[in-house]
Amino acid sequence: MPQSQQDGPLIVDGQLSDNERLKRESNYLRGTIAEDLQDQITGGFGPDNFQLIRFHGMYQQDDRDIRAERAQQKLEPLINVMVRARVPGGVMTPEQWLAVEDWAEKHTLYGSVRLTTRQTFQFHGVFKPDIKDTHQAINAVGIDSIATAGDVNRNVLCSSNPLESQLHAEVHEWSTRISEHLLPRTKAYVEIFLDHELARTTQEPVLGETYLPRKFKTTVSLPPDNEVDVNANDLNFVGIVEDGELVGWNVLVGGGLAMTHGDTSTYPRTADDFGFIPLEDTLAVAEHVVTVQRDWGNRVNRKNAKTKYTLDRVGSDVFKAEVERRAGATFEPSRPYAFTSRGDRFGWVKGQDGTWHLTLFILNGRIRDEEDRPIKTGLRKIAEVHRGHFRLTANQNLVVAAVPAAQKRTIEKIAREHGLIDEATTSQLRNSMACVSFPTCPLAMAESERFLPGFVAQVEQLLVKHGIPDEHIVLRVAGCPNGCSRAMLAEVGLVGKGPGKYNLHLGGDRIGTRVPKLYRENVSPEVILEELDHLIGAWVAGREDGEGFGDFLIRTGVVAKVTVSATDFYA
């Protein structure tokens, strides 16, 4: 593809995608959203505003379960929006939790809150008349939805390891600082949704007047836990701790999991380690990884617009050198670190500061009351008495954090009474994850959230059959190939291909550093279970000491190891 120069090498030439036009013409993301909100003839937004509301944390959706029925009735689909909050590092106060849960109960179609793999929460089923009120309600308790979707840096993730209480506070502070530094400067959000009149936006010094070529994701992590899945993200700050103090970061750039079925120019990719920087260079490096991607990313083909494709096109060393030039910083050789786990630590853990932290398993992150498990009510009762805070995890779970010893018994009693602590929950279920998919996601090709519990139960039966009921395989299901459940970093990844059909990927590892390879294409759950039955049996019979399922499949040649994403993934 032709290339040209712009403050550095290798900008893709060609006709810009239409998203570039709408961003340029949007008056810094205002568009005509305010006018669209007043149009009560339709529940939806016009074509440009359909895209622009994403920059303000919303996606237009409808209930796909009743789409055909409404069409037969000559009715518009039941259009609503999903609202995704900005919660850097996933830390919320009990007061915020109560306000959020109360709003979901009274003002959303489904009455539930969903915790996401982006370490935040979403409302599903907000109708147009309630959109402004929803933003104002969360803003009243110090939360917004700025830049949680669209072509911007999204909610910044950080480690939630309850053991590292003091260090967690520090990495959380950095996640907040990075989030604030990379936010859009436009005041469109507060003007449109909060009714504030502010000075007109005249520039976007970091993101530029047409913002980024594509979505951008950032994490701050603290080894040995990789619960944020650094290889799923564009920019990652991996904390380096020496003598008990955080001294800086190894910076990993260019991870990403989304792809398009049938398009081999798209692929999942793990991140490249650029090297170590001290703490004082954090914001400059964060800013200029973003600005280099802003200026060099592909604005012609959105399917190749993410940072991972820019690195592969221009070369990782060239990209890194440009970041150094712009930031006025030099990457030192990477300092030693190791990830040894990425799952959450369930149950009680005593932190370094003497307080206690209770990590609760939330199936698929869905906060709602069910007949045998009224977890929404339980969390409300905990929030009413809790003196500490909540931490949302990147694995869709929740930590009741900083509990004084005197409160521990009270909170555990509430949790047990409402099904939030259940010893019957298996290791396999705790290490499985799904995206939302049907009925709300417009991109869904196959079931995911609603499919996962039953499928996991069948996998558990296989583990029992082969004599390992207490072990697990990292299993993730995605309703489409866009990567929300991070299935492309699982030992077993199912990616929706059509109704009741999935691509089966095998061979990721337990700590999230390897992409799994396609093993079977467009197959039913029944076929997948037959394959897993055979392969689990072989794993149990032939594994080495402590060898995970994915590592066994690579060692024995069941699937080839993916090392260079674009080349190995499709080979």
Side-chain angles (χ1 to χ4, degrees):
M1 182 173 289
Q3 311 285 345
S4 65
Q5 303 280 343
Q6 178 184 328
D7 194 26
L10 302 178
I11 308 305
V12 177
D13 286 335
Q15 183 176 352
L16 297 177
S17 72
D18 192 53
N19 289 68
E20 297 305 312
R21 173 201 60 79
L22 73 89
K23 287 183 286 186
R24 184 178 63 254
E25 295 176 356
S26 71
N27 185 21
Y28 293 98
L29 306 181
R30 291 170 177 82
T32 56
I33 295 172
E35 291 82 354
D36 241 349
L37 284 169
Q38 301 303 314
D39 179 6
Q40 299 303 314
I41 295 176
T42 173
F45 291 82
D48 281 4
N49 294 331
F50 177 90
Q51 296 286 340
L52 288 173
I53 62 172
R54 298 181 180 186
F55 290 83
H56 307 299
M58 295 177 292
Y59 285 88
Q60 181 173 306
Q61 304 180 336
D62 73 283
D63 189 327
R64 294 178 62 178
D65 283 348
I66 60 173
R67 184 186 287 176
E69 176 187 341
R70 289 180 67 86
Q72 289 178 348
Q73 297 170 347
K74 310 299 183 186
L75 295 173
E76 181 181 66
L78 190 61
I79 297 174
N80 56 81
V81 300
M82 177 268 280
V83 179
R84 179 186 296 146
R86 184 174 68 94
V87 186
V91 174
M92 295 178 64
T93 66
E95 292 76 20
Q96 289 174 326
W97 182 269
L98 289 169
V100 166
E101 190 275 327
D102 184 64
W103 187 263
E105 174 71 24
K106 296 177 181 176
H107 300 283
T108 70
L109 175 62
Y110 304 101
S112 63
V113 176
R114 195 178 197 276
L115 309 186
T116 82
T117 57
R118 295 308 302 170
Q119 210 171 18
T120 183
F121 67 86
Q122 297 175 175
F123 295 128
H124 288 268
V126 178
F127 292 112
K128 184 186 278 187
D130 290 323
I131 287 176
K132 285 184 67 171
D133 288 342
T134 298
H135 289 287
Q136 292 174 10
I138 63 174
N139 185 259
V141 291
I143 300 173
D144 60 56
S145 70
I146 299 171
T148 56
D151 300 343
V152 287
N153 180 67
R154 301 189 176 184
N155 193 58
V156 177
L157 278 60
C158 91
S159 291
S160 51
N161 182 356
L163 281 174
E164 305 284 1
S165 315
Q166 296 163 7
L167 287 169
H168 176 270
E170 194 169 357
V171 297
H172 174 255
E173 180 184 352
W174 278 110
S175 72
T176 301
R177 292 179 65 184
I178 292 167
S179 175
E180 296 291 335
H181 190 73
L182 299 180
L183 278 181
R185 296 296 183 260
T186 176
K187 305 304 179 186
Y189 177 86
V190 296
E191 292 173 9
I192 296 168
F193 300 106
L194 306 183
D195 294 328
H196 294 179
E197 293 186 9
L198 297 168
R200 180 180 178 276
T201 307
T202 58
Q203 61 178 335
E204 286 279 11
V206 176
L207 299 175
E209 65 177 9
T210 53
Y211 298 86
L212 301 183
R214 204 69 163 84
K215 61 186 176 183
F216 192 97
K217 298 177 180 179
T218 301
T219 73
V220 183
S221 64
L222 197 62
D225 295 304
N226 184 27
E227 71 266 52
V228 300
D229 267 333
V230 296
N231 284 297
N233 299 278
D234 300 80
L235 172 60
N236 307 273
F237 293 92
V238 178
I240 302 299
V241 177
E242 297 176 355
D243 298 325
E245 293 187 4
L246 182 68
V247 296
W249 322 95
N250 281 1
V251 180
L252 278 58
V253 178
L257 305 182
M259 55 187 172
T260 301
H261 286 318
D263 183 351
T264 57
S265 74
T266 68
Y267 47 85
R269 185 190 193 279
T270 54
D272 294 342
D273 192 333
F274 276 19
F276 173 84
I277 61 166
L279 293 178
E280 57 264 29
D281 290 334
T282 304
L283 296 182
V285 168
E287 174 178 334
H288 290 295
V289 171
V290 169
T291 67
V292 175
Q293 166 60 5
R294 176 197 70 194
D295 295 341
W296 292 3
N298 189 333
R299 294 182 183 266
V300 174
N301 180 359
R302 284 181 65 80
K303 291 181 180 179
N304 293 125
K306 287 271 289 173
T307 311
K308 60 182 178 180
Y309 300 116
T310 308
L311 286 182
D312 285 345
R313 192 182 79 247
V314 308
S316 198
D317 289 344
V318 173
F319 192 106
K320 172 182 170 181
E322 182 67 5
V323 173
E324 290 179 317
R325 185 185 73 82
R326 296 188 186 193
T330 301
F331 289 102
E332 301 174 20
S334 295
R335 300 197 182 180
Y337 73 94
F339 288 128
T340 59
S341 68
R342 60 171 164 169
D344 293 329
R345 300 166 184 254
F346 296 100
W348 286 105
V349 172
K350 189 175 184 180
Q352 293 171 333
D353 61 358
T355 62
W356 289 85
H357 309 270
L358 175 62
T359 302
L360 303 171
F361 173 70
I362 309 294
L363 178 61
N364 289 322
R366 184 67 67 177
I367 306 294
R368 62 185 169 208
D369 283 345
E370 297 179 356
E371 185 175 350
D372 58 341
R373 208 163 169 255
I375 66 170
K376 184 169 72 170
T377 297
L379 288 173
R380 166 170 282 278
K381 290 184 176 181
I382 289 173
E384 288 172 345
V385 300
H386 183 34
R387 300 178 204 160
H389 59 273
F390 290 147
R391 297 180 194 168
L392 316 184
T393 83
N395 293 313
Q396 303 172 322
N397 298 310
L398 185 143
V399 183
V400 184
V403 177
Q407 258 199 320
K408 188 180 170 197
R409 181 177 297 179
T410 298
I411 287 177
E412 178 162 345
K413 182 173 184 293
I414 296 171
R416 288 188 178 278
E417 288 174 348
H418 294 82
L420 286 159
I421 298 177
D422 183 358
E423 276 79 8
T425 302
T426 65
S427 177
Q428 182 57 57
L429 189 59
R430 287 176 170 176
N431 285 278
S432 302
M433 196 156 64
C435 65
V436 175
S437 196
F438 288 102
T440 55
C441 178
L443 302 177
M445 299 177 181
E447 291 281 1
S448 186
E449 179 179 340
R450 297 190 295 196
F451 167 78
L452 183 79
F455 185 76
V456 169
Q458 292 173 299
V459 173
E460 290 168 347
Q461 291 174 10
L462 295 180
L463 298 178
V464 171
K465 173 183 175 180
H466 292 287
I468 51 169
D470 298 326
E471 298 196 37
H472 74 271
I473 296 166
V474 177
L475 167 68
R476 293 174 178 179
V477 182
C480 81
N482 281 284
C484 295
S485 64
R486 305 198 294 270
M488 287 297 93
L489 287 174
E491 293 182 289
V492 175
L494 276 61
V495 179
K497 193 73 183 291
K501 294 295 179 68
Y502 301 86
N503 286 353
L504 171 61
H505 293 259
L506 300 174
D509 59 14
R510 289 192 170 178
I511 57 173
T513 62
R514 187 172 62 233
V515 169
K517 194 170 180 66
L518 180 65
Y519 182 70
R520 292 291 302 271
E521 184 173 8
N522 198 31
V523 292
S524 68
E526 291 76 19
V527 171
I528 293 169
L529 288 165
E530 289 175 4
E531 294 283 4
L532 291 179
D533 188 4
H534 165 70
L535 294 170
I536 291 171
W539 174 46
V540 172
R543 61 182 171 173
E544 297 177 347
D545 186 37
E547 186 174 39
F549 184 65
D551 290 337
F552 169 79
L553 298 180
I554 297 294
R555 181 177 61 81
T556 56
V558 174
V559 289
K561 185 177 182 179
V562 176
T563 54
V564 181
S565 296
T567 304
D568 294 350
F569 186 69
Y570 291 110

